[in-house]
Amino acid sequence: MYTLRVEHGEEKVKKTQATKTARVILLTGVGKTTLIKEICKVLKTKSVNVQGFYTQEVRERGQRTGFSVVTLDGEQGPLATVQTSSDIPSGRQYTVGKYNVCLQSFENTALPTLQVKDKQNRVIIIDEIGKMELFSQSFIRHVKHILDTKGLTVIATIPVPKGRPLQLVEEVRARPDAQVFTITKENRDNILADISTSVMLSLKDNT
């Protein structure tokens, strides 16, 4: 069987013995969340059970002021906000650049979507496995459990490598059952079909 890894915008197909269809689909590059939303629409038209969350920017007067986490069931909560002297809570702070990570809000909103009872014909969406989310040890445990659960197909977004590597991101990227798509401005309008095909192959292999 063939496995496809898409790295740095180039498609590389290699044949290996006893290789199973990838069930961990990773998206990196530009426009990841927009593509995640499109993938969810496609999967729902195919009667696939989809659960999980995505993150999106919060803007005020044209300026980005933070990020929110949104579940596929429509629940929403803050993920990070621009720091000011009045809105930084007491206790330990979790910051990325100018943003204060709202750890409790993230966990309360996102983690319930990562609890799986029925694996049949199911896809888990994790957008994203990034620096802000990885402040949560509970999130890390949930992600590892999901990735190691046979019969599940996972679509996750990961950041473009820069600076100090994120341990869990590198572990996920190196998994033998992972398939990495690098999204660029040039391919983002055409790559949806390739990703959808990979997901459907994974679901078929999991049945």
Side-chain angles (χ1 to χ4, degrees), residues 19-164:
T19 300
K20 292 185 177 180
T21 302
R23 65 176 189 82
V24 179
I25 313 298
L26 302 175
L27 310 184
T28 189
V30 299
K32 302 186 296 292
T33 297
T34 299
L35 199 53
I36 283 287
K37 294 178 182 178
E38 293 300 317
I39 292 169
C40 288
K41 291 179 182 178
V42 170
L43 294 177
K44 288 179 180 179
T45 65
K46 297 179 182 296
S47 299
V48 175
N49 298 313
V50 186
Q51 69 181 75
F53 71 92
Y54 61 87
T55 54
Q56 63 183 14
E57 293 183 351
V58 176
R59 288 185 171 271
E60 296 179 7
R61 299 178 182 178
Q63 299 294 318
R64 187 169 67 188
T65 59
F67 299 88
S68 61
V69 54
V70 184
T71 74
L72 299 186
D73 292 328
E75 299 294 326
Q76 184 169 333
L79 169 62
T81 60
V82 176
Q83 300 181 65
T84 66
S85 58
S86 60
D87 64 17
I88 300 177
S90 59
R92 181 176 179 182
Q93 305 302 310
Y94 301 92
T95 59
V96 176
K98 64 180 180 180
Y99 298 104
N100 179 53
V101 179
C102 307
L103 193 62
Q104 193 64 54
S105 169
F106 166 70
E107 292 183 340
N108 290 343
T109 306
L111 296 190
T113 73
L114 302 182
Q115 297 175 4
V116 181
K117 295 182 180 180
D118 180 11
K119 297 183 294 184
Q120 186 173 5
N121 197 39
R122 186 169 298 276
V123 173
I124 308 298
I125 303 292
I126 306 174
D127 175 33
E128 73 174 343
I129 305 174
K131 186 177 293 185
M132 291 182 180
E133 294 83 1
L134 291 177
F135 281 120
S136 169
Q137 294 301 309
S138 294
F139 173 70
I140 292 173
R141 289 193 295 270
H142 275 74
V143 170
K144 288 183 175 181
H145 175 72
I146 286 174
L147 294 176
D148 290 336
T149 300
K150 295 181 179 180
L152 279 179
T153 297
V154 180
I155 306 175
T157 63
I158 56 175
V160 175
K162 60 180 179 180
R164 184 178 179 180

Side-chain angles (χ1 to χ4, degrees), residues 183-201:
I183 307 163
T184 66
K185 292 181 180 179
E186 290 73 28
N187 70 12
R188 63 184 177 186
D189 292 330
N190 302 315
I191 203 170
L192 175 61
D194 293 335
I195 298 171
S196 299
T197 297
S198 295
V199 174
M200 297 310 296
L201 286 173

